Amino acid sequence: PSGVCLDVVVPSYRKNNNDYLRRIATLRASREGVYVKFWFVVDNPCKDHINSVKELSNELNVKQLEKNGNYFINVIHYGANRGASYARNTGYNYSTADWILFLDDDVIPDENILDAYIGGIKRFPDAKVLAGMTTLPEATNNWTTMLRVCNVGYFYGISKLRRHPPWAVTANLLVRGSRYNPTIQFKECYPKTGGGEDIDLVYQYKDFYPSCGLH
């Protein structure tokens, strides 16, 4: 009853990025009573990629289960590239956790990210969505310089700028688990690579709870 059940859902399309997935899968909370499942949803039909993610997961699960069962990695694949929305929905719907943290497979998470979100849950127990801070890398060429100048990445760092942002990106976003709101889903009308579905998801949360008489 006093513990925290929080799952991490990661759509995995990029090949040869097990270094990133390992950083995510080895995240730990400093307090006791935290239960985490990592859901790596392989959105790529490449068998080498699928096997690589499975091997990583098996390796880390064996090591973790020698200590305790509080952390465990699940790998889901469906032999196709169906896009970010489909992959996130898959992990979201498999999870039975109270909270789900969405991370992308190209992020390097702060090692204290679970503690930070658990702190947010404790401080704001009625929250439905908590927006994380995502820092983009420094510009290295004309293209990335242009992206920074036009501020297209403004919402990646919105949590540093606004207490109650209208939405935030799913590269780093915590939401209530699907068992509380099974009708909320990422819509597949958006590009496979992502773009717009995160805005829509947050607005679904905003509409869902008041319509059910909740806050």
Side-chain angles (χ1 to χ4, degrees), residues 169-205:
V169 297
T170 39
N172 181 6
L173 187 72
L174 187 79
V175 301
R176 288 276 185 181
S178 62
R179 65 192 181 95
Y180 295 102
N181 39 61
T183 61
I184 295 178
Q185 300 284 294
F186 287 96
K187 294 179 182 176
E188 295 180 47
C189 57
Y190 295 96
K192 278 187 175 183
T193 53
E197 79 286 351
D198 41 9
I199 305 174
D200 179 81
L201 182 83
V202 173
Y203 276 91
Q204 286 185 63
Y205 271 92

Side-chain angles (χ1 to χ4, degrees), residues 75-148:
V75 178
I76 306 171
H77 64 90
Y78 32 77
N81 171 223
R82 298 186 177 180
S85 291
Y86 187 94
R88 292 192 185 107
N89 283 338
T90 299
Y92 181 66
N93 294 326
Y94 264 95
S95 171
T96 58
D98 295 318
W99 294 90
I100 296 176
L101 171 59
F102 289 109
L103 295 176
D104 283 349
D105 67 347
D106 61 346
V107 301
I108 300 175
D110 187 283
E111 62 181 10
N112 299 309
I113 190 172
L114 296 183
D115 283 341
Y117 273 121
I118 291 168
I121 292 169
K122 297 297 183 182
R123 290 195 304 274
F124 307 102
D126 295 327
K128 309 304 182 296
V129 178
L130 293 175
M133 174 73 182
T134 304
T135 303
L136 297 176
E138 294 297 322
T140 57
N141 53 38
N142 288 339
W143 171 249
T144 51
T145 299
M146 181 270 296
L147 291 177
R148 281 195 170 274

